[in-house]
Amino acid sequence: MRCFNSLIVGIVVGTLILPPVPAIAKTRKGDKLANDARAAEANGDYDKALELDSEAVALDPSDPSYVLALRRIRFEAGTLHLKNGRLLRDAGTLEKALAEFERAWAIDPSSDIALQEIRRTRAMIERSKKAPDQPEAEKAMSPAALSRQRAQERTDMLLPLPELRPLNTDLIDLKMTNRPRVLFETVAKVAGINLLFDSEYNQQQTLQNVQVDLTRTTLDQALDQIALVTRSFWKPLSANTIFVTVDNPTKRREYAEQVVKVFYLTNITGPQEMQEMLTVLRTVVDVQKVFNYTAQNALVVRAEADTMALVEKLISDLDKPRSEVIVDIMVMSVSSTHIRNLTAAFAATGINTSLIPNSTTPTTTSTTTTSSTTTPTTTTATPPSAVTTIQNLGRINQYVLTNVPGATLEALLNDSLTRVLQAPQIRAVSNAKASIKIGDKVPTATGSFQPGVGGVGVGVNALVNTQFTFIDVGVNVEITPWIHDNNEISLHIDLDVSQVKDRVNIGGIDQPEIQQNKSTADVRLREGEVNLLGGIIQQTSSRSVTGIPGLGQLPIIGKLFSGENTEHDKSELVIAIVPHIVRGPDVTESNLRGVAAGNATQIKVNYAPRPAPPVLVGNAPPATAPLTPVAPSAGAPAVTVPPATAPAATAPPATAPPITAPPIAPPVPGLTGVPIPPPPPGSAPAAATPPGGGSRASFVPNRLEAQLSSPATVTVQLDNATDLASVAAHLQYDPRILRVVNIVPGDLPQRNAAPLQPVRNILNDVGQADVLITRGPAEGGVSGSGSVFSVIFQAVGRGDTQVTLSFLRATSTAGQPIPAAVPGPLTVSVR
């Protein structure tokens, strides 16, 4: 014990005398720094974690855990500063963003993305210095993003195919006989469009007089008819200009407009469908410049304008979602077994025994005598033979041994019922195969082979390799539907219902014995109709009687010598299918309608005139944009119509100002873009003077009758106006019957003032017209009664219609509204 204590004291003294180990102290401090770094990293302070990990590596550079942690945190911290820099750059603070990117590069010098961001940001700073007036949104864009934006702006500025929009949309009624050039010029003047001719248009074919009858035709139809009879070719250059040249293949190639368009196909699902679409376009409309872009499921097409119109129709007709159907399949198998066995008899199954005859060899007894005693000896008989031959039948002289069967009593009843119901459901696309398999895969041997001789001196390999094939057992369904447009479905069905019935050993291998019920059918059903695809009924009845022949057939007592077994087996397999259409064919009337496509050598399509917009009635405020001055349509070039077709002009009403009003000059500076103030909320037209004795507006005349194609003037008069400085009004009319030609100021706003130029916005397409008439500030207001403005209509269709003054707002010099009653609708009859 004393020696042990001395040893302990020596160890402690030696430990105190030894100098401290610096590496151990540094490692402990490094671990603390590493733990603090992980805590800072968890809090999202990557800069603090980077600082702590750097100190840990400085204490012990040989520790791989410190080095790996430092490398990882460098990446995380650099990524954080990159993210902050991008946010600052997007906000437009480029200098701070550059500082963040430089900080990210200083933390992780191996980061190439940091160098890229530094160069990109410096370029943005230089660009902003060169263009200080650059928009703020563009300052925050990288050079690549700015370039993409400007490219997108240029793309958005690309104009589509020019669409002709003539000033005069009325139907043309002309009968002319003249040279082709004059015919085009006449129609262009009637419609108010410009006309350009090819320098080579004056050829032999264009110098002969041609007769045309343009009765109730649109502008496009008139131009097409003239082009047809004069063998000319025209195309729109802008909304109000067309170009005319001779029609030949050379001129077509030079001047026919080409269109490029990308079609994004939303319902094409496979390469075969895409190839079929390409085949349709190349075969039907002879499009040669077409390419399919598989990544976007798109087609890029370049063709002439009329050809492109046909391509649009074909793609619209063909790119439709395919019809889908859900098929409910019900498989029901019912099997029943009924067994009855009744036996109460002696030898119910008959007598089956052996005859045992008695032996013919007698038993002998001999006695042996000696001098002292006598000992008897007994010899037993030879056991009878188990088999009696024919030769021995005559020697049977004593008895026959047989077994008498005992009585049997048996009553057995077995009644079993089995039901199997499977109801899978499968959804399929029209004209596409769909399958469903419910069950197991059972292996079965399909063959075997034995390897041959392996080489010299090597015998035949005795190993036999067996090949197996897996068979699908259960319910296996394959259907191919085709959905018709009358809610009927054609189905090609392969149905296989199978199960493993037993196993048979063949060649040492247990092979499955598969019970199979298979049906293949092509049927056509209505939606929701139930069809029994397979109904197989098997019924088996058997009756067997056993017993002693003769005795078993005796009446009454024969039951004691016989047995009876009855068995009834019944199996039924029913397969029913019920189709349900979940998406039918989406074929519209437009898809079924044929369109004119030109002749065999040139594709040419025609467009129907635009339908007239609905007429707005009532006191609803106008839904137009702020009013802007438009050029008056009265300045269109005059057209001389042959006297035979020109209707007689009717003089304007006596109360209306003369139609030969002075030409309207451009709007006065300061009035451009002046919006018409909207009507007060809840305002409604009223025929009576408002309470308090305000002003009253009225139509003059209060009923208008006009002739077709003749001008008609209506004046809006204002009574009892006080300090009138400006007036704004909104008119609504039926563009199918009336068309506004011009709006001129009346005498009331022009009293004691220079001629006024009203701001007007005439929209004959929608049947709306706005007008704003304002007196100058130096001229002050005007009081009294008189006409405010006159509207010059042109009758373009027969019938009765109404002109409604939706609102009229008069304003004083102080900017206060002047109460004015709005008149009721004006009835116009065109004969």
Side-chain angles (χ1 to χ4, degrees):
M1 186 67 182
R2 183 176 300 174
C3 295
F4 179 75
N5 292 334
S6 301
L7 179 61
I8 295 298
V9 172
I11 293 174
V12 171
V13 172
T15 303
L16 295 176
I17 294 175
L18 291 176
V21 182
I24 297 177
K26 289 181 180 179
T27 301
R28 291 176 179 173
K29 185 177 181 181
D31 291 342
K32 183 178 183 304
L33 292 173
N35 294 333
D36 293 342
R38 301 291 75 76
E41 181 182 359
N43 294 329
D45 191 354
Y46 292 101
D47 291 338
K48 182 64 175 178
L50 176 63
E51 180 182 354
L52 294 174
D53 281 331
S54 300
E55 294 179 5
V57 171
L59 288 175
D60 189 2
S62 62
D63 193 330
S65 63
Y66 298 165
V67 176
L68 292 177
L70 178 61
R71 291 179 180 177
R72 183 178 57 81
I73 202 62
R74 281 184 184 276
F75 174 78
E76 297 292 343
T79 302
L80 178 63
H81 284 284
L82 284 174
K83 179 180 178 181
N84 295 336
R86 292 191 182 102
L87 294 176
L88 292 172
R89 187 176 62 190
D90 294 340
T93 55
L94 300 181
E95 298 294 342
K96 294 182 179 179
L98 179 61
E100 288 290 332
F101 293 140
E102 291 177 346
R103 172 64 177 164
W105 183 72
I107 291 175
D108 189 6
S110 63
S111 176
D112 292 336
I113 187 65
L115 289 176
Q116 294 176 6
E117 296 293 353
I118 290 173
R119 289 194 294 264
R120 187 178 294 118
T121 307
R122 287 176 179 173
M124 294 170 64
I125 294 174
E126 293 297 328
R127 186 185 65 198
S128 62
K129 291 180 179 178
K130 294 179 181 179
D133 56 345
Q134 190 178 18
E136 294 295 331
E138 294 185 359
K139 289 182 180 180
M141 291 185 180
S142 64
L146 183 60
S147 177
R148 287 192 297 268
Q149 180 186 4
R150 291 176 177 173
Q152 184 62 40
E153 291 175 355
R154 290 192 298 270
T155 301
D156 296 338
M157 292 174 63
L158 293 176
L159 295 176
L161 188 69
E163 185 177 358
L164 193 59
R165 291 180 175 271
L167 297 178
N168 186 1
T169 59
D170 304 335
L171 297 179
I172 298 175
D173 284 303
L174 292 174
K175 291 182 180 179
M176 299 178 290
T177 302
N178 213 321
R179 294 170 54 188
R181 190 183 189 100
V182 178
L183 298 180
F184 278 110
E185 291 174 348
T186 304
V187 172
K189 288 182 180 180
V190 171
I193 61 174
N194 302 323
L195 188 63
L196 295 178
F197 285 97
D198 187 10
S199 59
E200 302 177 1
Y201 186 72
N202 291 329
Q203 296 182 356
Q204 185 65 31
Q205 70 184 50
T206 62
L207 298 178
Q208 300 176 359
N209 290 342
V210 179
Q211 181 180 0
V212 292
D213 186 357
L214 307 176
T215 303
R216 307 296 294 171
T217 59
T218 63
L219 176 60
D220 290 346
Q221 293 172 351
L223 293 175
D224 288 340
Q225 293 177 19
I226 297 175
L228 178 63
V229 298
T230 61
R231 288 181 292 175
S232 302
F233 165 65
W234 71 275
K235 73 168 187 176
L237 296 180
S238 64
N240 63 341
T241 305
I242 65 172
F243 174 79
V244 181
T245 184
V246 292
D247 190 5
N248 55 50
T250 303
K251 293 298 182 181
R252 286 274 183 177
R253 286 192 297 269
E254 290 180 3
Y255 295 110
E257 201 73 32
Q258 295 282 323
V259 182
V260 176
K261 189 172 181 179
V262 180
F263 296 92
Y264 293 93
L265 308 179
T266 58
N267 299 292
I268 299 298
T269 57
Q272 179 181 356
E273 298 177 19
M274 179 68 75
Q275 187 60 40
E276 291 176 354
M277 182 73 75
L278 291 173
T279 303
V280 168
L281 298 181
R282 289 169 178 164
T283 304
V284 177
V285 292
D286 196 21
V287 178
Q288 301 300 326
K289 297 179 180 179
V290 55
F291 179 78
N292 63 304
Y293 186 61
T294 308
Q296 294 293 333
N297 211 25
L299 288 178
V300 184
V301 184
R302 183 174 185 264
E304 294 185 6
D306 290 344
T307 304
M308 186 63 72
L310 283 183
V311 170
E312 291 176 352
K313 174 174 172 51
L314 290 176
I315 292 180
S316 175
D317 293 344
L318 297 178
D319 185 26
K320 290 182 174 292
R322 298 171 65 180
S323 305
E324 289 185 82
V325 63
I326 288 180
V327 181
D328 291 326
I329 303 173
M330 291 174 285
V331 180
M332 184 174 64
S333 177
V334 179
S335 62
S336 62
T337 303
H338 182 86
I339 301 174
R340 186 184 65 182
N341 193 355
L342 296 177
T343 302
F346 296 96
T349 58
I351 298 175
N352 183 12
T353 185
S354 300
L355 294 177
I356 306 176
N358 188 23
S359 175
T360 57
T361 303
T363 302
T364 58
T365 302
S366 61
T367 303
T368 304
T369 303
T370 60
S371 58
S372 59
T373 60
T374 301
T375 303
T377 302
T378 303
T379 303
T380 61
T382 304
S385 175
V387 178
T388 303
T389 62
I390 295 177
Q391 293 81 0
N392 295 331
L393 289 178
R395 298 187 179 93
I396 299 176
N397 56 6
Q398 291 187 8
Y399 58 87
V400 177
L401 299 179
T402 182
N403 295 325
V404 178
T408 301
L409 177 61
E410 182 178 5
L412 175 64
L413 178 64
N414 186 3
D415 192 355
S416 62
L417 179 65
T418 303
R419 292 185 178 91
V420 178
L421 176 64
Q422 292 177 324
Q425 188 180 76
I426 185 171
R427 181 166 179 165
V429 178
S430 181
N431 199 26
K433 181 185 292 186
S435 62
I436 183 172
K437 297 181 179 181
I438 303 174
D440 303 322
K441 283 184 172 292
V442 178
T444 178
T446 57
S448 61
F449 67 95
Q450 183 177 17
V453 178
V456 179
V458 180
V460 177
N461 193 346
L463 180 62
V464 177
N465 296 323
T466 304
Q467 298 174 338
F468 289 88
T469 300
F470 287 85
I471 301 176
D472 293 317
V473 175
V475 179
N476 303 312
V477 183
E478 288 186 357
I479 66 170
T480 304
W482 181 269
I483 302 173
H484 307 282
D485 59 353
N486 56 352
N487 286 338
E488 291 189 355
I489 307 104
S490 295
L491 295 171
H492 175 78
I493 303 178
D494 288 325
L495 180 62
D496 185 1
V497 180
S498 58
Q499 61 182 352
V500 177
K501 184 179 180 181
D502 199 356
R503 290 189 174 271
V504 181
N505 189 289
I506 301 176
I509 300 176
D510 286 338
Q511 295 282 63
E513 182 181 352
I514 298 175
Q515 180 181 5
Q516 187 180 51
N517 296 281
K518 188 172 183 180
S519 175
T520 300
D522 289 281
V523 296
R524 179 163 177 163
L525 305 173
R526 295 191 64 83
E527 198 270 340
E529 181 180 355
V530 180
N531 179 67
L532 294 180
L533 187 64
I536 303 173
I537 300 176
Q538 294 181 349
Q539 187 171 357
T540 304
S541 298
S542 62
R543 178 175 177 271
S544 61
V545 179
T546 60
I548 300 175
L551 297 179
Q553 284 78 29
L554 293 176
I556 301 176
I557 64 173
K559 297 292 184 181
L560 298 176
F561 302 97
S562 64
E564 180 180 352
N565 180 272
T566 304
E567 183 175 352
H568 297 281
D569 293 330
K570 183 179 180 180
S571 64
E572 182 176 358
L573 177 66
V574 179
I575 303 171
I577 59 173
V578 184
H580 304 281
I581 298 176
V582 294
R583 181 185 290 115
D586 185 17
V587 180
T588 63
E589 182 181 358
S590 176
N591 304 138
L592 300 175
R593 181 173 56 88
V595 296
N599 51 41
T601 59
Q602 183 64 41
I603 293 179
K604 178 69 173 69
V605 298
N606 301 309
Y607 295 92
R610 293 185 181 86
V615 180
L616 300 178
V617 295
N619 61 337
T624 58
L627 190 63
T628 55
V630 297
S633 58
V639 179
T640 303
V641 182
T645 60
T650 59
T655 57
I659 298 178
T660 58
I664 299 176
V668 178
L671 295 181
T672 303
V674 177
I676 294 179
S683 62
T689 303
S695 300
R696 176 182 178 180
S698 60
F699 284 114
V700 179
N702 56 9
R703 181 179 178 85
L704 182 62
E705 293 185 0
Q707 297 293 328
L708 183 64
S709 301
S710 299
T713 303
V714 176
T715 300
V716 176
Q717 185 164 330
L718 187 62
D719 298 329
N720 302 325
T722 302
D723 194 21
L724 177 65
S726 65
V727 61
H730 176 73
L731 288 171
Q732 293 177 329
Y733 52 93
D734 189 347
R736 296 170 296 184
I737 299 178
L738 296 176
R739 178 177 178 271
V740 175
V741 177
N742 200 0
I743 302 177
V744 296
D747 62 333
L748 180 60
Q750 296 188 102
R751 290 177 186 175
N752 304 323
L756 300 180
Q757 303 299 334
V759 179
R760 59 181 74 80
N761 187 16
I762 301 173
L763 302 175
N764 284 317
D765 290 342
V766 296
Q768 296 181 12
D770 301 302
V771 61
L772 174 64
I773 302 174
T774 306
R775 291 171 60 90
E779 297 168 346
V782 63
S783 302
S785 301
S787 63
V788 182
F789 59 88
S790 297
V791 183
I792 303 174
F793 289 101
Q794 183 180 6
V796 296
R798 291 185 175 89
D800 295 336
T801 184
Q802 290 183 339
V803 176
T804 304
L805 186 63
S806 297
F807 78 95
L808 185 144
R809 186 173 186 182
T811 308
S812 65
T813 55
Q816 298 297 325
I818 300 175
V822 180
L826 170 67
T827 302
V828 180
S829 299
V830 179
R831 300 290 180 259

